[in-house]
Amino acid sequence: QVQLQESGPGLVRPSQTLSLTCTVSGSSVSTEKYYWTWIRQPPGKALEWLGYIYHRGSAYYNPSLGSRVAISVDTSRNQFSLILNSMTAADTALYFCVTQDSDTYFFDSWGQGTPVTVSS
Amino acid sequence: DIQLTQSPSSLSASVGDRVTISCRASQTIIKYLNWYQQKPGKAPKLLIFHVSNLISGVPSRFSGSGSGTDFTLTITSLQPDDFASYYCQQSFTTPLTFGGGTNVEVK
C-alpha cells in the first residue's frame, strides 16, 4: 500500500501562489503503475480532479484551471508537487494527493488531505 | 466535460435498510464508473471500480450495476459503519469527474 503525505501552507493570500508537496512511501514516483494526482474538495462540496503527472514527466490538467496549475515530480526525493497560481477564495479547499492507477484510472491511495484557506 | 449527476443528494436510513444510490452520466462512459465512500474529515476510500468490481476487503453488502449512462450503488443491509457520503467517478476520459455526492444519514 502506498502512503502519501501532503505538506504546505494552510493559509494563502489572494492572488498569491499555492505550493504543495506530496511525499510518497511504499512506491517510487518513477513507477509506471501510477499517475501522481491532485484532487481537492471545497468545504461541504464535491471532489474535483486537478490533474496528474506520470513517470515520463508528462502532465495533464483539468481545463477548468486554465494555465494556473502545474504538477511536477522530484525523483530524488520521491515527491510530487502542485503549483496553483492566482489564488482566490474559490480555491479554498482540502487538497489531497492521490495515486491514480495507470490502467484503470481509479484513485486507490489517498493522503490525509491538507486544508488550504485563501484569505487576506 | 462529462457531468455525473447523483441522486438523491442525501437520504435517511436505518440499520438493516437496503439503500440505492443512482449516478447518471451526461454521455456514455461504457463501464468506466467507480464508487467511493467518504467519512467526515477523511479521505475517500475506493469501494468499487468499473461498475461492479469490489475492492478487496470491501464487504459484500456493497454492489454496483449499470452501463452506458446509468449506474447504481446498492447497500443490501446498511450497517452502522456505512453512514457516510458516497461519490461516483468516471474514468472514461479526462477531465476525470465526480458526482456531487450522496450523504447517507441516520434516520
Side-chain angles (χ1 to χ4, degrees):
Chain A
Q1 183 78 0
V2 180
Q3 287 84 44
L4 304 165
Q5 179 65 59
E6 306 90 350
S7 58
L11 178 65
V12 177
R13 305 300 183 194
S15 80
Q16 291 194 335
T17 295
L18 172 68
S19 177
L20 296 177
T21 295
C22 184
T23 300
V24 179
S25 56
S27 178
S28 166
V29 293
S30 300
T31 183
E32 295 183 10
K33 179 172 173 57
Y34 298 119
Y35 295 165
W36 306 98
T37 299
W38 289 94
I39 290 171
R40 71 181 179 182
Q41 185 172 36
K45 295 189 177 180
L47 299 152
E48 180 184 22
W49 173 79
L50 304 183
Y52 65 73
I53 191 167
Y54 65 99
H55 63 95
R56 296 194 184 111
S58 294
Y60 290 85
Y61 305 119
N62 193 323
S64 69
L65 298 171
S67 59
R68 295 201 299 134
V69 62
I71 298 175
S72 61
V73 65
D74 185 338
T75 55
S76 66
R77 297 185 177 187
N78 215 38
Q79 296 175 330
F80 64 105
S81 297
L82 171 74
I83 296 287
L84 189 59
N85 298 315
S86 304
M87 295 282 282
T88 71
D91 296 311
T92 293
L94 188 60
Y95 285 75
F96 296 99
C97 59
V98 185
T99 60
Q100 178 178 324
D101 186 274
S102 60
D103 288 329
T104 59
Y105 275 37
F106 58 63
F107 306 114
D108 51 357
S109 295
W110 297 65
Q112 64 184 18
T114 187
V116 175
T117 300
V118 182
S119 175
S120 55
Chain B
D1 298 6
I2 295 177
Q3 311 300 320
L4 296 178
T5 302
Q6 281 184 241
S7 60
S9 57
S10 67
L11 64 89
S12 298
S14 301
V15 171
D17 284 353
R18 179 185 179 93
V19 169
T20 300
I21 298 169
S22 171
C23 179
R24 175 165 290 178
S26 58
Q27 63 188 77
T28 183
I29 56 174
I30 310 177
K31 65 172 185 176
Y32 299 104
L33 192 283
N34 311 310
W35 290 98
Y36 300 81
Q37 177 193 68
Q38 186 180 32
K39 296 187 178 178
K42 300 292 187 183
K45 171 188 169 185
L46 177 65
L47 297 176
I48 291 171
F49 71 95
H50 292 182
V51 178
S52 59
N53 295 279
L54 220 60
I55 291 296
S56 175
V58 174
S60 59
R61 62 181 180 272
F62 289 92
S63 64
S65 61
S67 66
T69 60
D70 291 309
F71 303 90
T72 300
L73 173 69
T74 300
I75 310 172
T76 53
S77 178
L78 196 67
Q79 297 302 300
D81 191 49
D82 302 338
F83 291 100
S85 294
Y86 293 85
Y87 291 91
C88 56
Q89 175 246 330
Q90 64 84 13
S91 51
F92 178 66
T93 188
T94 54
L96 304 175
T97 50
F98 292 86
T102 297
N103 187 30
V104 177
E105 303 172 326
V106 177
K107 190 171 185 179

